[in-house]
Amino acid sequence: MTYPNEYKYTKDHEWAVLKDEIVTIGITHHAQDALGDIVFAELPKVGRTLKFHETFGVVESIKAVSDLYSPVSGEVIETNSSLSSEPSLLNQDPHGNAWLMKVKPANSSELNDLMNADQYTSFVQSLK
Amino acid sequence: MLKRTPLFEEHKKLNGRLIDFGGWELPVQYTGLSDEHLNCRENVGLFDVSHMGEFIVEGSDAETFLNEALTNDVKKLIPGQAQYSLLCYENGTLVDDLLVYKYSTEKYLVVVNASNIEKDFEYMSSFHQKGKFKCHFQNKSDSFAQIALQGRHAEKILQKLSQKDLSKLAYYHFHEETLKNGIPSIVSRTGYTGEDGFEIYCANEFAPKLWETLLELGNEYQIKPCGLGARDTLRLEVRFPLYGHELSDKINALEAGLGWVIKFDKEKFIGKEALLKIKEEGLKRKCVGIKLLAPGVIRQDYKIFSKDTDKEIGFISSGTLSPSLKTSIGLGYVESSFSQIGTKVSIEIRSQKIDAEIIPTPFYKRNY
């Protein structure tokens, strides 16, 4: 599995990418693979202000509940409504159509502290 | 160090995702929980259940020993028959649920849950000693492997290996035989999925060969290995209780809904007096089936509230997203006055109360 080069990654297996002043956030391929069949995603309300690393929702597989941590502080401006009817999209396209939310960052330099694709790939390898 | 079954290498070959299950290193899934679950419902699944415990009771008092220890009536069994039964504490709560296989009035096999092997063996040994029963009671768990073949095609697959006519082997009956590939085994028409199927016991050394043979023979019927994840969702859909969830040392056998395996007409069994008293006084709470009416997933330990009064009335013992029904279902304990089918309740999920309803069980019934 290749991880997109333009994305940044957290140790909790979220990805984040900054484009036109907006950060789009999702979970990684590794996260969906570890969880298995994802059956439910609970996302924050639009307008909510998140702190760095604050819990913003959960994804649930048949077996487990997994918390989601925000890779950046800021205001939630959109969440992915297609996930409520089709949570399995998170298994199929975690780096693309199954993005979780878009955030207007309070301090986008927080992203600089996250891992790049190479670092994250090594990190995932180290977990095996 | 986690314990491994004789099929450990098979699970690795099949890319099983290994987890610690009560001290056993076993696959939670291979290709995917939902896929394995549905394939067992629609075709057939193969499970490694070698972690289960096996005790042998042998001697002139074997029948009396088991009949005085367990709640069900061992005397009703004929040789070649198996029986679901319970081991209780004196206060009527549960040590374990188990299967008793009768070879003869002087020889029985008792199959218990993996996580309870030591506890059960100590408890039954102590009862055995106190009662001075004339029989040997031995823990043979380490020398038995067990493979479950479950699903509508199970009989056709196993028939290719069996020397006997399996269509004549009734539910909860078993026989011993040497299979056509030379493996001495116990073939039992039992299971934990709600499907037709078999549980096959053999010595550890034969388990890998039996596993591989069944996968090969099952190929034309789309057989797939199933992990512990699917085992759990399959049993929950048909309301089979699981120790550590519906059953525990804090739950009595009657509120668990297991009155049908408690035979009060027996002279004695462990827990009889306490259970009789509980029965006479009436149950304070009952185990019920619950369906969530909104998106989300019910999980163990979530609290249950009355929809009308918002009073806390119980807790969830098992919950999941049912792969067959595509909705969240669970079992839970509620105060008896709220246990009626159709009662509206709410389940607290991450501080929010989500609507749910008490519905009939089993949640799933096979259609063949």
Side-chain angles (χ1 to χ4, degrees):
Chain A
M1 187 64 208
T2 54
Y3 291 95
N5 273 323
E6 64 277 25
Y7 289 11
K8 293 289 207 167
Y9 301 88
T10 72
K11 287 189 171 174
D12 306 304
H13 309 287
E14 290 93 9
W15 56 260
V17 60
L18 177 67
K19 196 184 166 198
D20 300 333
E21 309 292 308
I22 299 300
V23 181
T24 303
I25 290 156
I27 61 168
T28 66
H29 166 76
H30 174 81
Q32 69 77 25
D33 183 56
L35 274 162
D37 302 317
I38 295 173
V39 294
F40 182 65
E42 188 175 278
L43 299 174
K45 287 207 168 71
V46 169
R48 181 172 155 192
T49 305
L50 294 169
K51 291 186 208 121
F52 177 72
H53 206 254
E54 186 176 346
T55 309
F56 69 86
V58 298
V59 285
E60 300 198 36
S61 65
I62 296 177
K63 282 297 281 182
V65 185
S66 187
D67 282 329
L68 298 163
Y69 301 95
S70 183
V72 67
S73 53
E75 185 192 333
V76 180
I77 59 162
E78 190 183 350
T79 58
N80 189 347
S81 57
S82 58
L83 296 179
S84 58
S85 58
E86 210 184 339
S88 62
L89 207 55
L90 282 159
N91 292 115
Q92 294 150 22
D93 193 12
H95 298 157
N97 285 327
W99 58 274
L100 296 170
M101 63 171 179
K102 293 180 194 284
V103 170
K104 190 177 173 191
N107 176 9
S108 61
S109 69
E110 285 166 341
L111 294 178
N112 298 337
D113 298 332
L114 304 181
M115 289 178 270
N116 65 30
D118 286 346
Q119 288 165 327
Y120 182 71
T121 304
S122 313
F123 175 65
V124 167
Q125 281 301 321
S126 74
L127 299 174
K128 285 182 179 167
Chain B
M1 177 70 189
L2 294 174
K3 283 178 274 190
R4 292 174 173 178
T5 75
L7 296 171
F8 181 77
E9 293 302 325
E10 304 297 318
H11 303 320
K12 278 179 57 175
K13 270 190 247 169
L14 292 162
N15 276 323
R17 179 168 294 155
L18 299 161
I19 57 154
D20 174 356
F21 177 76
W24 291 84
E25 195 169 9
L26 282 165
V28 64
Q29 65 168 59
Y30 301 87
T31 52
L33 196 167
S34 190
D35 179 47
E36 293 162 25
H37 176 114
L38 296 172
N39 192 63
C40 180
R41 289 267 181 257
E42 285 155 24
N43 299 302
V44 61
L46 194 67
F47 304 72
D48 176 13
V49 281
S50 301
H51 55 304
M52 301 290 282
E54 291 85 8
F55 305 153
I56 297 280
V57 188
E58 218 167 348
S60 57
D61 279 351
E63 183 180 86
T64 315
F65 166 56
L66 290 176
N67 224 23
E68 290 186 11
L70 308 174
T71 62
N72 209 338
D73 192 349
V74 180
K75 288 188 177 166
K76 296 225 171 93
L77 284 173
I78 58 163
Q81 195 178 8
Q83 181 182 65
Y84 179 67
S85 196
L86 306 171
L87 180 62
C88 287
Y89 291 103
E90 291 290 359
N91 68 1
T93 65
L94 292 144
V95 183
D96 207 357
D97 65 337
L98 46 81
L99 287 188
V100 178
Y101 289 85
K102 177 172 180 170
Y103 292 85
S104 71
T105 47
E106 299 196 356
K107 188 182 177 189
Y108 294 85
L109 167 70
V110 179
V111 180
V112 305
N113 283 301
S115 50
N116 290 338
I117 294 173
E118 282 76 27
K119 178 185 75 175
D120 293 359
F121 189 68
E122 269 177 42
Y123 188 79
M124 288 181 76
S125 293
S126 140
F127 183 74
H128 177 262
Q129 272 168 10
K130 271 188 223 149
K132 298 195 171 67
F133 296 100
K134 291 186 196 70
C135 57
H136 291 287
F137 178 57
Q138 290 172 291
N139 180 1
K140 293 283 190 186
S141 302
D142 289 342
S143 41
F144 273 90
Q146 192 195 150
I147 295 171
L149 177 68
Q150 301 279 301
R152 65 186 75 212
H153 300 311
E155 184 185 302
K156 284 172 270 181
I157 295 166
L158 191 59
Q159 190 60 69
K160 298 191 212 178
L161 263 188
S162 174
Q163 314 262 18
K164 305 203 178 186
D165 181 359
L166 293 180
S167 68
K168 302 228 164 75
L169 184 65
Y171 190 49
Y172 267 74
H173 285 72
F174 72 100
H175 63 244
E176 291 178 285
E177 66 164 306
T178 300
L179 297 170
K180 285 179 184 163
N181 58 356
I183 299 178
S185 62
I186 303 166
V187 174
S188 166
R189 198 162 207 143
T190 46
Y192 198 47
T193 60
E195 299 301 319
D196 183 26
F198 301 88
E199 292 175 309
I200 309 147
Y201 299 81
C202 67
N204 286 339
E205 60 196 283
F206 297 117
K209 186 177 165 191
L210 180 58
W211 176 267
E212 283 171 7
T213 309
L214 288 169
L215 281 179
E216 264 170 47
L217 295 175
N219 199 32
E220 64 172 300
Y221 298 103
Q222 284 79 47
I223 195 171
K224 280 185 185 177
C226 295
L228 293 170
R231 183 168 159 83
D232 189 40
T233 51
L234 287 160
R235 71 94 194 164
L236 184 49
E237 284 183 348
V238 289
R239 205 214 160 128
F240 289 163
L242 175 60
Y243 199 88
H245 290 258
E246 287 68 47
L247 314 179
S248 81
D249 60 4
K250 304 210 166 40
I251 291 166
N252 74 58
L254 285 165
E255 58 195 8
L258 297 174
W260 62 283
V261 284
I262 305 170
K263 304 301 176 191
F264 288 108
D265 53 351
K266 290 201 300 182
E267 192 193 327
K268 54 181 169 180
F269 61 87
I270 309 174
K272 182 178 175 182
E273 278 147 48
L275 287 166
L276 209 50
K277 189 158 173 266
I278 291 163
K279 192 180 177 186
E280 280 160 8
E281 286 173 357
L283 297 176
K284 292 193 180 69
R285 59 181 182 181
K286 283 182 184 168
C287 187
V288 294
I290 294 167
K291 178 174 129 178
L292 203 62
L293 300 175
V297 187
I298 302 175
R299 306 278 180 191
Q300 185 175 20
D301 295 333
Y302 285 0
K303 292 174 180 167
I304 306 170
F305 293 82
S306 156
K307 181 77 184 146
D308 294 336
T309 63
D310 210 29
K311 179 185 141 187
E312 188 177 332
I313 54 166
F315 63 93
I316 297 292
S317 50
S318 291
T320 193
L321 194 290
S322 158
S324 303
L325 308 173
K326 316 282 182 212
T327 181
S328 183
I329 56 164
L331 294 171
Y333 283 89
V334 295
E335 292 174 18
S336 298
S337 55
F338 293 92
S339 64
Q340 238 179 334
I341 305 293
T343 305
K344 303 281 188 227
V345 297
S346 59
I347 313 291
E348 191 176 71
I349 305 179
R350 292 180 289 279
S351 327
Q352 278 192 313
K353 301 232 173 81
I354 310 293
D355 288 353
E357 185 181 338
I358 296 182
I359 65 163
T361 52
F363 302 102
Y364 172 90
K365 266 189 207 142
R366 72 180 196 231
N367 58 8
Y368 58 92

